[in-house]
């Protein structure tokens, strides 16, 4: 009887004490869940510049007009090869805004920038004529970078506007003259999608946004590669690419490309080298370097 009554008193005491002991932690947890999470924001500027050069060829219709007092006049269109050799420079700046919510594994980075590109394009036309034309274009662009756990995805879009390149089309009729028309390309959209898993597996696809934006002859590209692990400062991507204007005999042709990125962790600079191979009609090499200025960090609850 004594044991039973003592046990009942113990249970009654526990029943009374337990809600009181749990009330404070539960109230604290509820208050913490209602508090807004802290959002860490970092803003900075990145400066970059580089060089690009190469060669390609395309065909055009050259209308050769003539006048013969004994046989009359006439015109006949014929294909003419136009070879390009170009060298250019690029300067640009990006505003970078990164946000991360405390307790969440996702970091979102927004990038808005403007590049200015200029090049000298030296043309050699199939019948021996030569000309040097200037290329000058601006490239406003925008990209979103999302990193969650070990996955990183980046999507970027932009627009090359100005004198981007020169391609040939039909020539006009002119008595006693041989004419060629090389039309100016004024706008080229750019697009790039990159995916990365733990800096081991990399994938990219796009148009006009590689090799210093494809000035003079934008191209499609698709590549895969590796970053050799999360602690490696080096990344290598190889793939295939295709430009619409690169071969005298064919409208399109594919070739290989390689891109090497050097970005040491904790350093404000990085370098990017791009080169093509496998095509006698299209060659390009590009080098771009970037420097990140000291940024500004802030935090707020939202």
């Amino acid at each position: 009887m004594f044991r039973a009554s003592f046990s009942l008193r113990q249970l009654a005491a526990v029943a009374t004490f337990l809600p009181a002991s749990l009330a404070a932690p539960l109230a604290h947890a509820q208050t913490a869940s209602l508090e807004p999470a802290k959002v860490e924001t970092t803003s900075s500027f990145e400066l970059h510049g580089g060089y690009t050069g190469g060669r390609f060829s395309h065909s055009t219709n050259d209308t050769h007009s003539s006048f013969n007092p004994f046989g009359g006049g006439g015109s006949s269109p014929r294909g003419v090869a136009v070879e390009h050799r170009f060298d250019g420079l690029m300067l640009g700046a990006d505003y970078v805004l990164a946000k991360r919510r405390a307790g969440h594994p996702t970091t979102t980075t927004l990038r808005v920038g403007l590049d200015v590109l200029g090049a000298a394009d030296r043309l050699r036309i199939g019948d021996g004529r030569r000309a040097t034309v200037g290329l000058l274009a601006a490239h406003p662009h925008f990209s979103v970078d999302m990193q969650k756990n070990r996955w990183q995805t980046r999507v970027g879009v932009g627009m090359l506007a100005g004198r981007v390149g020169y391609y040939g089309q039909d020539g006009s009729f002119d008595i006693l003259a041989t004419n060629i028309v090389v039309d100016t390309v004024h706008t080229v959209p750019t697009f790039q999608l990159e995916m990365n898993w733990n800096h081991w597996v990399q994938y990219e696809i796009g148009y006009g946004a590689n090799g210093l934006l494809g000035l003079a002859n934008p191209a499609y590209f698709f590549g895969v590669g590796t970053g050799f692990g999360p602690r490696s400062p080096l990344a290598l991507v190889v793939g295939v690419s295709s430009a619409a204007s690169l071969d005298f005999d064919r409208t399109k042709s594919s070739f290989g490309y390689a891109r090497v990125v050097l970005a040491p962790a904790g350093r404000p600079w990085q370098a990017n080298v791009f080169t093509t191979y496998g095509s006698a009609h299209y060659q390009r090499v590009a080098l771009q370097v970037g420097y990140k200025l000291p940024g500004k960090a802030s935090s707020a609850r939202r």
Side-chain angles (χ1 to χ4, degrees):
M1 187 68 182
F2 176 77
R3 293 179 180 272
S5 61
F6 182 77
S7 299
L8 291 175
R9 284 196 299 270
Q10 283 183 326
L11 292 175
V14 170
T16 304
F17 176 75
L18 186 61
S21 63
L22 294 179
L26 289 175
H28 177 73
Q30 184 176 8
T31 304
S33 63
L34 295 177
E35 290 181 357
K38 181 183 294 185
V39 177
E40 300 174 352
T41 302
T42 303
S43 60
S44 61
F45 283 92
E46 292 185 7
L47 306 178
H48 47 261
Y51 161 83
T52 183
R55 60 181 295 269
F56 70 97
S57 62
H58 68 81
S59 60
T60 185
N61 287 332
D62 186 25
T63 301
H64 180 77
S65 303
S66 62
F67 178 78
N68 189 330
F70 301 99
S75 64
S76 59
R78 58 187 176 88
V80 174
V82 181
E83 296 183 0
H84 298 253
R85 293 181 180 271
F86 60 92
D87 295 278
L89 298 175
M90 182 194 72
L91 293 175
D94 292 351
Y95 173 72
V96 184
L97 181 66
K99 291 188 176 182
R100 182 180 183 275
R101 189 180 297 272
H104 291 256
T106 303
T107 300
T108 303
T109 304
L110 305 179
R111 183 185 300 266
V112 180
L114 176 66
D115 303 315
V116 179
L117 304 95
D121 191 359
R122 298 174 296 277
L123 284 68
R124 186 176 68 178
I125 304 166
D127 58 6
R129 287 171 291 171
R130 296 176 182 268
T132 299
V133 293
L135 303 178
L136 182 63
H139 179 244
H141 57 273
F142 170 80
S143 67
V144 179
D145 187 317
M146 295 190 64
Q147 184 171 357
K148 184 175 183 179
N149 297 324
R150 298 183 178 183
W151 283 97
Q152 183 177 4
T153 303
R154 181 180 180 182
V155 180
V157 294
M159 179 68 71
L160 273 169
R163 287 180 294 184
V164 182
Y166 295 89
Y167 308 120
Q169 289 190 353
D170 293 342
S172 60
F173 177 81
D174 190 4
I175 299 297
L176 298 177
T178 302
N179 301 319
I180 191 167
V181 175
V182 182
D183 285 351
T184 306
V185 181
H186 291 287
T187 57
V188 170
T190 62
F191 166 77
Q192 190 165 10
L193 169 65
E194 299 178 5
M195 298 187 70
N196 182 314
W197 182 81
N198 201 29
H199 207 56
W200 275 109
V201 180
Q202 296 191 195
Y203 162 91
E204 66 180 22
I205 187 172
Y207 174 74
N210 227 330
L212 282 186
L213 312 177
L215 184 68
N217 195 3
Y220 298 94
F221 61 90
F222 164 76
V224 294
T226 178
F228 304 101
R231 296 184 179 181
S232 172
L234 190 67
L236 172 64
V237 176
V238 295
V240 294
S241 189
S242 178
S245 181
L246 65 93
D247 197 331
F248 172 66
D249 297 323
R250 294 170 294 176
T251 58
K252 281 193 176 182
S253 181
S254 298
F255 49 90
Y257 79 90
R259 186 167 63 89
V260 180
V261 179
L262 181 61
R267 299 296 180 88
W269 62 270
Q270 66 175 8
N272 189 333
V273 180
F274 178 91
T275 185
T276 63
Y277 57 90
S279 174
H281 300 277
Y282 187 96
Q283 297 174 2
R284 179 188 290 272
V285 63
L287 170 63
Q288 180 177 328
V289 294
Y291 186 84
K292 184 177 181 180
L293 299 176
K296 179 181 179 182
S298 61
S299 60
R301 295 188 178 277
R302 296 182 181 179

